[in-house]
Amino acid sequence: MTSPSPVLDHVVIDARDRIGEAEQCFTSLGFLLTPRGRHSLGSVNHLAMFTTNYLELLGFGEHGPARPELMPFPVGLNGLVFNTTDADLVHRQAAAAGLPVLPVQSFSRPLTIDGATHDARFRTTRLDPSKIAMGRVYFCEHQTPGLVWRREWQTHPNGAQAIARVVVATGNPLRTAVLFRDLFGGNAVADQEGRCVMTAGAAQVELAPPNVVSAEFGEAAAEPAGRAEYMAALGIKVRSLPATAQRLRSVQGVHAEPHRLVVPASAAFNTTIVFSE
C-alpha cells in the first residue's frame, strides 16, 4: 500500500476557555482572523488562512468543554494536521501500519458568505492522542475547500504568507520520527545535526531535543507544562520582515534578530512564533 505524502494542512493552538483572549492576541500580532466558527462537535474557532496552510485557534464552546479529546491539553500548540483527499484511505493505511488510529470523524461548521449561510464540511482521520506523546496528530479531508481557502482571508496586516516550520520538542527525535516514517514512508524524515526534519508541503516539521529548542529560543521558549514531548514553535514566512517589524513594534517582548523576529511564547498562548522571509 502506497504511503501518503506529507502535506501540512494546518496547526492548532488550543485556547481552551480563552478563545476571546486568543482572538485579541493574534489580531494584535497582525493576523487577519476569520469570524468565529462553531463546530457541530461543540468547539469554536478562528482561522488565520494562508495560501496552502493555516493556523487554527481552537476553544471550548459557550456551553463549556464538549470535546473530551481536548481536555488533557494545556493552552498552546497541540495539533499537527496533514492534508488528505481521502480520510478513509488514510485510515486504512494507518491501520495497516499498526498505528493507533481512531474511526473517521465527520463534522461541519456554518459560515456566512455574501449574506448566504453555508456548511463547511470536514472528515478527519485521527491518531489516538493518548498514544501519541507530542499531541494531536491527524489528517483533514476538506469536503468544501472553497469555503475555507478564500482570498479575502489571506491578506494579513503582518504580511504572513505561510506556516514554514513546526518545531516539536522531544527527548528522542529518532524514536519520535518513527511515527512519521510509519505514516509517510522510510524516506520521509531526514537526520540533520541532531534534529529530524520532514518536508510537509510548504512547511518543515522539525523534531529537536528540548535543550536544543531552549538554546534556540531562550526566554521566548514555550513552557513544557510537565510534558516530555510537545509542539513548541511555529515559523511563519512573511512578505517583508521590515514591514512585519513595523507592524509588531508595539507588541511587548518581540525580539528582533538577524533575519527574523521572535514572539515569545508568553505573548502567544504558549507558542513561540518566528517570523522570517
Side-chain angles (χ1 to χ4, degrees), residues 1-40:
M1 187 177 291
T2 304
S3 299
S5 297
V7 176
L8 182 72
D9 188 82
H10 65 282
V11 298
V12 183
I13 294 177
D14 286 329
R16 295 180 64 85
D17 58 355
R18 298 165 59 195
I19 190 67
E21 185 184 339
E23 178 187 12
Q24 292 178 346
C25 172
F26 281 80
T27 298
S28 75
L29 293 174
F31 292 101
L32 173 68
L33 300 179
T34 59
R36 185 163 303 179
R38 290 169 171 79
H39 295 125
S40 55

Short mmCIF file of all heavy atoms in Angstrom, two decimals, residues 1-40:
data_model
loop_
_atom_site.label_atom_id
_atom_site.label_comp_id
_atom_site.label_asym_id
_atom_site.label_seq_id
_atom_site.Cartn_x
_atom_site.Cartn_y
_atom_site.Cartn_z
N MET A 1 0.85 -1.19 0.00
CA MET A 1 0.00 0.00 0.00
C MET A 1 0.89 1.25 0.00
O MET A 1 1.79 1.38 0.82
CB MET A 1 -0.92 -0.01 1.23
CG MET A 1 -1.96 1.10 1.23
SD MET A 1 -3.08 0.98 2.66
CE MET A 1 -4.02 -0.51 2.26
N THR A 2 0.67 2.14 -0.93
CA THR A 2 1.48 3.35 -1.07
C THR A 2 1.23 4.31 0.09
O THR A 2 0.08 4.58 0.45
CB THR A 2 1.16 4.07 -2.39
OG1 THR A 2 1.35 3.15 -3.47
CG2 THR A 2 2.07 5.26 -2.59
N SER A 3 2.31 4.84 0.64
CA SER A 3 2.17 5.80 1.74
C SER A 3 1.70 7.15 1.22
O SER A 3 2.05 7.55 0.10
CB SER A 3 3.51 5.97 2.46
OG SER A 3 3.95 4.76 3.01
N PRO A 4 0.90 7.88 2.00
CA PRO A 4 0.52 9.23 1.59
C PRO A 4 1.71 10.17 1.65
O PRO A 4 2.71 9.89 2.31
CB PRO A 4 -0.54 9.62 2.62
CG PRO A 4 -0.21 8.81 3.83
CD PRO A 4 0.34 7.51 3.32
N SER A 5 1.63 11.28 0.94
CA SER A 5 2.67 12.30 1.00
C SER A 5 2.36 13.27 2.15
O SER A 5 1.20 13.65 2.33
CB SER A 5 2.74 13.08 -0.31
OG SER A 5 3.09 12.24 -1.38
N PRO A 6 3.38 13.67 2.90
CA PRO A 6 3.12 14.61 3.99
C PRO A 6 2.94 16.03 3.47
O PRO A 6 3.86 16.61 2.89
CB PRO A 6 4.37 14.48 4.86
CG PRO A 6 5.45 14.04 3.91
CD PRO A 6 4.78 13.22 2.85
N VAL A 7 1.77 16.58 3.67
CA VAL A 7 1.49 17.98 3.32
C VAL A 7 0.78 18.61 4.52
O VAL A 7 -0.30 18.16 4.90
CB VAL A 7 0.60 18.11 2.06
CG1 VAL A 7 0.25 19.56 1.80
CG2 VAL A 7 1.30 17.50 0.85
N LEU A 8 1.40 19.62 5.11
CA LEU A 8 0.77 20.27 6.26
C LEU A 8 -0.50 20.97 5.82
O LEU A 8 -0.50 21.76 4.88
CB LEU A 8 1.73 21.28 6.89
CG LEU A 8 1.17 21.99 8.14
CD1 LEU A 8 1.12 21.03 9.32
CD2 LEU A 8 2.01 23.23 8.48
N ASP A 9 -1.60 20.68 6.51
CA ASP A 9 -2.87 21.35 6.25
C ASP A 9 -3.02 22.54 7.20
O ASP A 9 -3.23 23.67 6.77
CB ASP A 9 -4.02 20.37 6.46
CG ASP A 9 -5.36 20.94 6.02
OD1 ASP A 9 -5.67 20.89 4.82
OD2 ASP A 9 -6.10 21.44 6.89
N HIS A 10 -2.90 22.27 8.50
CA HIS A 10 -2.96 23.37 9.47
C HIS A 10 -2.38 22.93 10.80
O HIS A 10 -2.09 21.75 11.00
CB HIS A 10 -4.38 23.90 9.63
CG HIS A 10 -5.40 22.97 10.23
ND1 HIS A 10 -6.01 21.95 9.53
CD2 HIS A 10 -5.94 22.93 11.47
CE1 HIS A 10 -6.88 21.33 10.29
NE2 HIS A 10 -6.85 21.89 11.49
N VAL A 11 -2.19 23.88 11.67
CA VAL A 11 -1.79 23.61 13.05
C VAL A 11 -2.87 24.17 13.97
O VAL A 11 -3.64 25.06 13.57
CB VAL A 11 -0.42 24.22 13.40
CG1 VAL A 11 0.68 23.61 12.54
CG2 VAL A 11 -0.45 25.74 13.27
N VAL A 12 -2.95 23.64 15.18
CA VAL A 12 -4.00 24.04 16.12
C VAL A 12 -3.36 24.55 17.41
O VAL A 12 -2.57 23.85 18.04
CB VAL A 12 -4.94 22.87 16.45
CG1 VAL A 12 -6.06 23.34 17.37
CG2 VAL A 12 -5.52 22.26 15.17
N ILE A 13 -3.72 25.77 17.77
CA ILE A 13 -3.34 26.33 19.07
C ILE A 13 -4.58 26.30 19.96
O ILE A 13 -5.61 26.90 19.63
CB ILE A 13 -2.81 27.76 18.93
CG1 ILE A 13 -1.49 27.75 18.15
CG2 ILE A 13 -2.62 28.41 20.30
CD1 ILE A 13 -0.91 29.13 17.88
N ASP A 14 -4.49 25.57 21.05
CA ASP A 14 -5.62 25.44 21.97
C ASP A 14 -5.71 26.67 22.87
O ASP A 14 -4.74 27.05 23.53
CB ASP A 14 -5.48 24.20 22.85
CG ASP A 14 -5.76 22.92 22.09
OD1 ASP A 14 -6.59 22.95 21.15
OD2 ASP A 14 -5.16 21.89 22.43
N ALA A 15 -6.90 27.28 22.89
CA ALA A 15 -7.15 28.40 23.79
C ALA A 15 -8.00 27.99 24.98
O ALA A 15 -8.20 28.77 25.91
CB ALA A 15 -7.86 29.53 23.04
N ARG A 16 -8.52 26.78 24.94
CA ARG A 16 -9.42 26.26 25.98
C ARG A 16 -10.58 27.23 26.21
O ARG A 16 -11.34 27.49 25.27
CB ARG A 16 -8.62 25.94 27.26
CG ARG A 16 -7.60 24.81 27.03
CD ARG A 16 -6.80 24.46 28.27
NE ARG A 16 -7.62 23.94 29.36
CZ ARG A 16 -7.99 22.66 29.50
NH1 ARG A 16 -7.62 21.75 28.62
NH2 ARG A 16 -8.72 22.30 30.53
N ASP A 17 -10.73 27.79 27.41
CA ASP A 17 -11.86 28.69 27.67
C ASP A 17 -11.48 30.16 27.47
O ASP A 17 -12.16 31.07 27.95
CB ASP A 17 -12.40 28.48 29.09
CG ASP A 17 -11.35 28.71 30.16
OD1 ASP A 17 -10.16 28.94 29.81
OD2 ASP A 17 -11.69 28.65 31.35
N ARG A 18 -10.43 30.41 26.69
CA ARG A 18 -9.92 31.77 26.49
C ARG A 18 -9.94 32.17 25.01
O ARG A 18 -9.07 32.89 24.55
CB ARG A 18 -8.51 31.87 27.06
CG ARG A 18 -8.43 31.62 28.57
CD ARG A 18 -6.98 31.36 29.01
NE ARG A 18 -6.10 32.46 28.68
CZ ARG A 18 -4.77 32.37 28.70
NH1 ARG A 18 -4.19 31.20 29.04
NH2 ARG A 18 -4.00 33.39 28.39
N ILE A 19 -10.92 31.70 24.26
CA ILE A 19 -10.93 31.93 22.81
C ILE A 19 -11.02 33.43 22.49
O ILE A 19 -10.39 33.90 21.54
CB ILE A 19 -12.06 31.13 22.11
CG1 ILE A 19 -11.90 31.20 20.59
CG2 ILE A 19 -13.43 31.58 22.57
CD1 ILE A 19 -10.69 30.51 20.04
N GLY A 20 -11.79 34.18 23.27
CA GLY A 20 -11.87 35.62 23.04
C GLY A 20 -10.53 36.30 23.23
O GLY A 20 -10.14 37.18 22.45
N GLU A 21 -9.82 35.90 24.27
CA GLU A 21 -8.49 36.44 24.54
C GLU A 21 -7.52 36.06 23.42
O GLU A 21 -6.68 36.87 23.00
CB GLU A 21 -8.00 35.91 25.89
CG GLU A 21 -6.68 36.49 26.34
CD GLU A 21 -6.19 35.85 27.64
OE1 GLU A 21 -7.02 35.29 28.38
OE2 GLU A 21 -4.98 35.92 27.88
N ALA A 22 -7.62 34.81 22.94
CA ALA A 22 -6.75 34.35 21.85
C ALA A 22 -7.01 35.15 20.58
O ALA A 22 -6.08 35.53 19.86
CB ALA A 22 -6.96 32.87 21.60
N GLU A 23 -8.29 35.42 20.31
CA GLU A 23 -8.64 36.23 19.14
C GLU A 23 -7.97 37.60 19.22
O GLU A 23 -7.37 38.09 18.24
CB GLU A 23 -10.15 36.37 19.04
CG GLU A 23 -10.62 37.22 17.88
CD GLU A 23 -12.11 37.48 17.92
OE1 GLU A 23 -12.76 37.21 18.94
OE2 GLU A 23 -12.63 37.99 16.90
N GLN A 24 -8.06 38.25 20.37
CA GLN A 24 -7.45 39.57 20.55
C GLN A 24 -5.94 39.49 20.42
O GLN A 24 -5.30 40.35 19.80
CB GLN A 24 -7.85 40.14 21.90
CG GLN A 24 -9.32 40.49 22.03
CD GLN A 24 -9.67 41.00 23.43
OE1 GLN A 24 -8.90 40.87 24.36
NE2 GLN A 24 -10.85 41.58 23.56
N CYS A 25 -5.35 38.45 21.00
CA CYS A 25 -3.90 38.29 21.00
C CYS A 25 -3.36 38.16 19.57
O CYS A 25 -2.43 38.87 19.17
CB CYS A 25 -3.52 37.06 21.83
SG CYS A 25 -1.77 36.60 21.73
N PHE A 26 -3.95 37.27 18.78
CA PHE A 26 -3.42 37.02 17.45
C PHE A 26 -3.79 38.13 16.47
O PHE A 26 -3.06 38.37 15.51
CB PHE A 26 -3.84 35.63 16.97
CG PHE A 26 -2.98 34.55 17.57
CD1 PHE A 26 -3.21 34.09 18.86
CD2 PHE A 26 -1.90 34.04 16.88
CE1 PHE A 26 -2.40 33.13 19.44
CE2 PHE A 26 -1.07 33.08 17.44
CZ PHE A 26 -1.33 32.62 18.74
N THR A 27 -4.87 38.83 16.74
CA THR A 27 -5.16 40.03 15.96
C THR A 27 -4.09 41.08 16.23
O THR A 27 -3.61 41.76 15.31
CB THR A 27 -6.56 40.57 16.29
OG1 THR A 27 -7.54 39.59 15.94
CG2 THR A 27 -6.85 41.85 15.52
N SER A 28 -3.69 41.23 17.50
CA SER A 28 -2.66 42.20 17.85
C SER A 28 -1.31 41.83 17.23
O SER A 28 -0.47 42.72 17.00
CB SER A 28 -2.52 42.32 19.37
OG SER A 28 -1.83 41.21 19.92
N LEU A 29 -1.10 40.55 16.93
CA LEU A 29 0.13 40.10 16.27
C LEU A 29 0.05 40.27 14.75
O LEU A 29 0.97 39.87 14.04
CB LEU A 29 0.42 38.64 16.62
CG LEU A 29 0.78 38.35 18.08
CD1 LEU A 29 0.91 36.86 18.33
CD2 LEU A 29 2.07 39.07 18.47
N GLY A 30 -1.05 40.84 14.28
CA GLY A 30 -1.14 41.17 12.86
C GLY A 30 -1.75 40.11 11.99
O GLY A 30 -1.64 40.19 10.76
N PHE A 31 -2.41 39.12 12.58
CA PHE A 31 -3.09 38.11 11.77
C PHE A 31 -4.53 38.56 11.50
O PHE A 31 -5.22 39.06 12.40
CB PHE A 31 -3.11 36.76 12.48
CG PHE A 31 -1.76 36.11 12.62
CD1 PHE A 31 -1.07 36.17 13.82
CD2 PHE A 31 -1.17 35.47 11.54
CE1 PHE A 31 0.18 35.58 13.96
CE2 PHE A 31 0.08 34.89 11.67
CZ PHE A 31 0.76 34.94 12.87
N LEU A 32 -4.99 38.37 10.29
CA LEU A 32 -6.40 38.56 9.95
C LEU A 32 -7.11 37.25 10.27
O LEU A 32 -6.82 36.22 9.65
CB LEU A 32 -6.55 38.91 8.47
CG LEU A 32 -7.99 38.97 7.95
CD1 LEU A 32 -8.73 40.16 8.56
CD2 LEU A 32 -8.00 39.04 6.42
N LEU A 33 -8.05 37.28 11.21
CA LEU A 33 -8.73 36.06 11.63
C LEU A 33 -10.13 36.00 11.02
O LEU A 33 -10.81 37.01 10.86
CB LEU A 33 -8.84 36.01 13.16
CG LEU A 33 -7.52 36.00 13.93
CD1 LEU A 33 -7.78 35.98 15.42
CD2 LEU A 33 -6.64 34.82 13.53
N THR A 34 -10.55 34.78 10.70
CA THR A 34 -11.90 34.57 10.22
C THR A 34 -12.89 34.80 11.36
O THR A 34 -12.53 34.72 12.54
CB THR A 34 -12.09 33.15 9.68
OG1 THR A 34 -11.80 32.21 10.74
CG2 THR A 34 -11.16 32.87 8.51
N PRO A 35 -14.16 35.11 11.04
CA PRO A 35 -15.17 35.22 12.09
C PRO A 35 -15.25 33.93 12.89
O PRO A 35 -14.87 32.85 12.41
CB PRO A 35 -16.46 35.47 11.31
CG PRO A 35 -16.02 36.03 10.00
CD PRO A 35 -14.71 35.36 9.70
N ARG A 36 -15.75 34.01 14.12
CA ARG A 36 -15.81 32.84 14.98
C ARG A 36 -16.67 31.75 14.35
O ARG A 36 -17.80 31.98 13.93
CB ARG A 36 -16.34 33.19 16.36
CG ARG A 36 -16.29 32.01 17.35
CD ARG A 36 -16.42 32.45 18.78
NE ARG A 36 -15.37 33.42 19.12
CZ ARG A 36 -15.26 33.99 20.31
NH1 ARG A 36 -16.13 33.70 21.26
NH2 ARG A 36 -14.29 34.86 20.55
N GLY A 37 -16.09 30.56 14.27
CA GLY A 37 -16.81 29.40 13.77
C GLY A 37 -17.27 28.53 14.91
O GLY A 37 -16.62 28.47 15.96
N ARG A 38 -18.39 27.84 14.70
CA ARG A 38 -18.94 26.94 15.72
C ARG A 38 -19.13 25.56 15.12
O ARG A 38 -19.97 25.36 14.26
CB ARG A 38 -20.26 27.52 16.26
CG ARG A 38 -20.05 28.76 17.11
CD ARG A 38 -21.32 29.51 17.44
NE ARG A 38 -21.06 30.57 18.43
CZ ARG A 38 -20.52 31.75 18.13
NH1 ARG A 38 -20.17 32.04 16.87
NH2 ARG A 38 -20.31 32.65 19.08
N HIS A 39 -18.29 24.63 15.58
CA HIS A 39 -18.32 23.27 15.04
C HIS A 39 -19.55 22.51 15.52
O HIS A 39 -20.02 22.73 16.65
CB HIS A 39 -17.07 22.49 15.48
CG HIS A 39 -15.79 23.03 14.93
ND1 HIS A 39 -14.73 23.38 15.73
CD2 HIS A 39 -15.40 23.30 13.66
CE1 HIS A 39 -13.73 23.81 14.98
NE2 HIS A 39 -14.12 23.77 13.71
N SER A 40 -19.98 21.58 14.69
CA SER A 40 -21.05 20.69 15.12
C SER A 40 -20.60 19.81 16.28
O SER A 40 -21.43 19.22 16.98
CB SER A 40 -21.51 19.82 13.93
OG SER A 40 -20.41 19.11 13.36
#
